[in-house]
Amino acid sequence: AYERTCRYLARKSNSVVVSVGYRLAPEHPFPAQFEDCVTATIHFLRTAQDHGVDPSRVVICGDSSGGTLTAAVAQALASRRDVPKLRAQILIYPFLQCVDFNLPSYQQNEKVPVLLKERTLVLGLKYMKKDLSIIPEMFKGRHVPGELRSKYQKWVSPDYIPQEFKTRGYKPSPPHPPSEELCAYTKVIFDPIFSPLLAEDSVVAQVPETLLVTCEFDVLRDDGLLYKKRLEDHGIKVTWCHLQEGFHGTVFSATLGWAIAFKS
């Protein structure tokens, strides 16, 4: 599916592009995908010169769930001393957190194709091999333990979303008490490999320079905005590209230019 996109990026940027064919869920459960991406990245960093690549100029990139994996790999390699440091990361409308599914972008774009609000959770829960019947309770935030709420509030809150992104039909959500049973069942989704926005400050502070792409009509827009703030708070240089007419899947769709055309 992505070969055309990768060829396009290689051609337009005059770069060597390596596409990682990581194993897929549900046949291969989490975190096999992350492990494959880390393994491939380390291998390439160590053998970059065999491919005519300067190992100090390697950038990792991904979109949507690939953006999640990119952010997680960058965090995992940030403190490694046995491989060359990554030059940068490119995060294209990434999924980054599972704490709050009522951020402004989730409310505003819940019915915007291709990534509907409910579909986001369906895909995530299938990936983690969890029962889909818990989705309504997760929308209420009842999966977040009380002791973690104040911690995550520092990083995941509509308070940190700029006001201009709240003007299109956003209403603050009422709090709901946590469910002990649900909290225990979903505990694994707070792993920073699945939710990189929840990584500790000491990890986030070491990630490389970042290019972040967000789209206005995307449920994941605010994940990107919140990570942008965290990175900048730690002095990480962020180049932000916001597509005002963009939707989830814009970059992939753009490389199909002969078949589809749209403003962004």
Side-chain angles (χ1 to χ4, degrees), residues 27-260:
E27 294 82 4
H28 301 280
F30 170 89
Q33 300 70 24
F34 165 76
E35 290 165 354
D36 288 353
C37 289
V38 168
T39 301
T41 304
I42 290 173
H43 174 74
F44 187 77
L45 286 168
R46 287 175 172 163
T47 60
Q49 290 174 323
D50 297 348
H51 304 275
V53 172
D54 178 348
S56 70
R57 297 181 65 193
V58 175
V59 177
I60 58 173
C61 172
D63 81 323
S64 194
S65 58
T68 314
L69 289 164
T70 299
V73 169
Q75 291 177 0
L77 298 183
S79 60
R80 294 277 295 254
R81 299 288 176 260
D82 57 333
V83 289
K85 281 203 168 297
L86 292 167
R87 173 63 184 86
Q89 63 174 345
I90 299 174
L91 308 178
I92 303 171
Y93 34 77
F95 172 92
L96 296 171
Q97 61 85 29
C98 59
V99 173
D100 191 342
F101 296 105
N102 287 297
L103 292 169
S105 61
Y106 268 107
Q107 290 189 23
Q108 296 160 345
N109 303 311
E110 65 177 333
K111 290 183 169 55
V112 177
V114 293
L115 192 63
L116 311 184
K117 176 175 173 176
E118 185 163 343
R119 180 168 167 77
T120 307
L121 246 72
V122 167
L123 292 172
L125 291 174
K126 282 186 174 181
Y127 177 35
M128 304 300 275
K129 288 202 162 183
K130 300 296 180 185
D131 194 303
L132 302 185
S133 66
I134 65 174
I135 288 176
E137 294 299 281
M138 289 187 70
F139 281 160
K140 296 176 183 175
R142 300 196 66 204
H143 62 296
V144 186
E147 66 273 15
L148 290 180
R149 289 190 176 194
S150 56
K151 177 181 180 178
Y152 294 154
Q153 192 78 21
K154 298 182 298 182
W155 307 326
V156 184
S157 169
D159 295 345
Y160 302 134
I161 303 298
Q163 192 58 39
E164 64 261 32
F165 294 103
K166 298 178 182 176
T167 56
R168 190 166 48 89
Y170 165 67
K171 292 180 181 176
S173 300
H176 293 275
S179 157
E180 283 189 32
E181 185 182 358
L182 185 59
C183 291
Y185 182 65
T186 59
K187 186 178 177 183
V188 67
I189 68 174
F190 300 112
D191 187 325
I193 292 173
F194 184 77
S195 298
L197 186 54
L198 306 183
E200 297 296 335
D201 288 336
S202 58
V203 174
V204 174
Q206 297 186 70
V207 301
E209 183 178 342
T210 301
L211 168 62
L212 184 62
V213 179
T214 55
C215 292
E216 179 61 30
F217 299 100
D218 179 11
V219 290
L220 301 182
R221 181 196 70 203
D222 293 350
D223 282 25
L225 296 179
L226 292 171
Y227 201 43
K228 173 180 179 286
K229 180 184 186 305
R230 278 204 78 190
L231 293 171
E232 290 175 338
D233 285 349
H234 286 287
I236 308 297
K237 183 181 177 185
V238 178
T239 302
W240 176 44
C241 173
H242 182 64
L243 302 178
Q244 198 63 50
E245 304 289 332
F247 54 89
H248 196 86
T250 289
V251 172
F252 176 77
S253 304
T255 60
L256 306 174
W258 53 271
I260 185 171

